[in-house]
Amino acid sequence: MLPQEFIRVKRDGEKHTRDSMEEFFSQYLNGNVADYQISAWLMAAFLKGLDDEETFWLTEQIVNSGEKLDLSDIDGIKVDKHSSGGVGDKVSLAIVPLLASTGLVVSKMSGRGLGHTGGTIDKLESIPGLRTEFSTEEFKALLRRAGLAIVSQSESLAPLDKKLYSLRDVTATVESLPLIASSIMSKKIAVGSDLVSLDVKLGNGAFITSLEDAKELCRIMMSLAEQFGRKVEIHVTDMNEPLGCSVGNSLEVIEALEFLKGKVENRFATLVKELYKDTVNSTGVEAPDVDQLIASGKPLEKFAQMIEAQSGDPKVVEDYSLLPMAKSVHELRAQQSGYLTFVDTKEVGMAVVELGGGRKKKEDNIDHGVGIKFLVEGGSKVDAGDIVALVYFNNENTLNSALKRLEHAFTITETEPQERPLIWWSSYQ
């Protein structure tokens, strides 16, 4: 088969065969299909779409391109948590130890941040000494020892996805729902967890802004899970404002720790508790009362155990001064009275990138100590002169760039904004 013939099939809106997809992607991995030919196919698939069978075949090729992680020799019910990413989304830092404190084994492979969304791995690496790079056997040893682990994505797991994603990122084909679904599910299928908990973000701070698109993505992922024999639960959650008060690596670690101490009551805390309840119940185990569980101190203890198992300093759970923190703080004040209304949450994430807390290119280093802490949530009433947010910075130039971004992120309105659901849709509905 000539690569151009395969590309032409999708360009003309026709359907691939399973054999042709296997040959095309195998030849790509062998170096006999060029990146520019894959890019042409990605655009054809973006414009013409892939049906459910083609999406399954693509996912199958991605899964089979690398190793599979067998967790069957680890005792307990294994849960894998995944989020599509958003601004201030530190849910994994809070829910992983919360779930593990019930006796579940929580295995999570995460990525680094790129663009406006922060990466869970970057946040964890704020903690002194903490490792995130582990071999497959080391990862399994962590799970046996502590019952939980959050580590970097294995290089040997679904390598075809990594190659495809890097091209999607530079060819404006990231938003294709079948390509998103195959990318997410291939990595989850390659890891043998008993339950995959998926959190799809929706809103002006997420990659998906339409509820219709979010539901369609969920449908495709549930179809893939069924075909591969995996159990999934899915929530579509709100990302029309930062999740919680903090955006930035160290700041988000602190907010997650404060939640585990029972000291946080906001949309972030509410969401974590809802996801916790549904996830535990999905395993067939009755979820212990979340507030009593937090009050027992077990989730915080689990977080400390995970940090220590991954070579980090567990003292950080009590001593936040061990975390890197910016040397300067700018007070961002309301220019008028009214209601705080987020209109472009992505700009909050990009403001943190401007401060140095995120990446514009994959090879960029990041400053774990910078970020933004909002003192009020969206929809809150503020008076002129009130401090809306604290901007943590190390450089005046980066501060000015961040403040320009924040000018477009939110506004103060005379009328109270309409209340939005925290969970737009779930597989339980």
Side-chain angles (χ1 to χ4, degrees):
M1 178 197 68
L2 293 174
Q4 56 266 40
E5 292 176 349
F6 182 82
I7 297 166
R8 186 179 296 114
V9 167
K10 188 49 60 181
R11 183 201 69 183
D12 294 343
E14 298 173 8
K15 181 173 179 173
H16 293 305
T17 66
R18 188 178 199 163
D19 289 343
S20 69
M21 292 189 80
E22 181 178 359
E23 182 176 353
F24 181 71
F25 290 109
S26 294
Q27 290 298 314
Y28 176 52
L29 289 173
N30 291 334
N32 295 322
V33 173
D35 279 352
Y36 59 79
Q37 291 172 310
I38 289 287
S39 297
W41 178 81
L42 287 170
M43 185 57 73
F46 179 85
L47 295 173
K48 299 297 184 178
L50 301 173
D51 69 14
D52 282 0
E53 273 196 318
E54 290 173 305
T55 304
F56 171 75
W57 296 332
L58 173 60
T59 307
E60 185 177 52
Q61 290 306 305
I62 297 173
V63 172
N64 291 336
S65 70
E67 72 170 340
K68 299 179 182 68
L69 184 55
D70 183 5
L71 301 179
S72 62
D73 57 347
I74 297 176
D75 294 337
I77 300 171
K78 276 77 70 176
V79 177
D80 189 350
K81 157 77 173 60
H82 176 81
S83 169
S84 61
V87 179
D89 180 11
K90 76 283 293 178
V91 169
S92 294
L93 299 180
I95 201 170
V96 167
L98 196 60
L99 293 171
S101 66
T102 70
L104 297 173
V105 177
V106 192
S107 61
K108 177 167 174 54
M109 288 189 174
S110 298
R112 299 183 186 280
L114 184 64
H116 73 281
T117 61
T120 300
I121 292 300
D122 295 323
K123 296 166 191 177
L124 269 181
E125 288 182 343
S126 301
I127 299 172
L130 188 136
R131 285 178 57 203
T132 58
E133 303 279 348
F134 293 91
S135 69
T136 298
E137 287 307 312
E138 286 176 326
F139 178 52
K140 293 172 71 171
L142 290 173
L143 296 178
R144 291 191 184 96
R145 176 181 172 186
L148 72 168
I150 302 176
V151 302
S152 297
Q153 184 74 48
S154 168
E155 291 292 326
S156 58
L157 202 74
L160 176 57
D161 176 67
K162 186 175 181 179
K163 292 171 72 71
L164 292 178
Y165 188 85
S166 64
L167 291 175
R168 286 168 56 207
D169 192 40
V170 296
T171 57
T173 55
V174 169
E175 294 85 355
S176 164
L177 297 182
L179 294 179
I180 292 173
S182 64
S183 176
I184 292 174
M185 291 305 298
S186 61
K187 295 188 285 287
K188 301 307 168 186
I189 292 161
V191 177
S193 297
D194 299 307
L195 173 69
V196 179
S197 177
L198 300 172
D199 181 1
V200 176
K201 299 300 183 186
L202 170 69
N204 61 48
F207 291 112
I208 297 177
T209 58
S210 158
L211 181 57
E212 182 180 347
D213 284 347
K215 287 182 177 180
E216 175 62 9
L217 176 60
C218 293
R219 184 198 67 77
I220 298 171
M221 292 194 295
M222 287 190 293
S223 174
L224 288 171
E226 183 178 0
Q227 291 177 84
F228 281 100
R230 286 285 188 271
K231 183 178 181 180
V232 299
E233 60 158 19
I234 308 180
H235 295 81
V236 177
T237 65
D238 188 66
M239 188 40 69
N240 284 295
E241 65 178 90
L243 189 57
C245 66
S246 301
V247 187
N249 299 289
S250 287
L251 292 174
E252 292 188 46
V253 170
I254 292 171
E255 187 173 7
L257 288 169
E258 288 290 280
F259 165 80
L260 293 175
K261 295 174 183 178
K263 298 179 180 179
V264 175
E265 294 183 11
N266 54 20
R267 285 168 62 87
F268 158 64
T270 301
L271 179 61
V272 172
K273 291 178 181 181
E274 288 294 320
L275 295 181
Y276 156 81
K277 180 181 66 177
D278 287 348
T279 301
V280 177
N281 288 337
S282 290
T283 67
V285 177
E286 185 176 350
D289 179 81
V290 65
D291 292 317
Q292 291 180 11
L293 188 61
I294 291 172
S296 74
K298 291 180 181 178
L300 187 67
E301 183 180 340
K302 273 293 178 185
F303 200 157
Q305 287 177 3
M306 182 182 74
I307 293 170
E308 186 171 19
Q310 295 184 210
S311 303
D313 187 347
K315 296 190 186 76
V316 76
V317 300
E318 298 296 343
D319 186 358
Y320 300 153
S321 70
L322 295 172
L323 294 167
M325 194 59 63
K327 61 186 179 183
S328 302
V329 180
H330 172 82
E331 297 177 346
L332 186 62
R333 297 179 180 272
Q335 299 301 305
Q336 63 191 62
S337 299
Y339 296 90
L340 180 68
T341 304
F342 285 91
V343 293
D344 192 348
T345 304
K346 281 186 180 180
E347 287 294 284
V348 177
M350 290 309 299
V352 174
V353 173
E354 297 287 359
L355 291 168
R359 295 179 181 83
K360 297 180 180 179
K361 303 188 297 296
K362 286 186 178 181
E363 60 271 19
D364 288 349
N365 292 320
I366 63 171
D367 184 343
H368 291 90
V370 299
I372 302 167
K373 183 175 182 179
F374 287 92
L375 303 187
V376 290
E377 288 191 294
S380 299
K381 182 77 166 60
V382 297
D383 293 323
D386 283 354
I387 302 174
V388 173
L390 301 174
V391 182
Y392 293 74
F393 69 100
N394 283 319
N395 181 292
E396 289 285 349
N397 291 332
T398 61
L399 172 64
N400 292 332
S401 298
L403 293 178
K404 288 179 181 178
R405 291 279 192 179
L406 290 173
E407 287 177 3
H408 307 288
F410 63 86
T411 186
I412 306 296
T413 59
E414 292 184 1
T415 56
E416 188 174 0
Q418 185 175 359
E419 188 174 353
R420 302 177 311 277
L422 186 56
I423 298 176
W424 288 89
W425 181 89
S426 81
S427 52
Y428 297 94
Q429 297 176 346

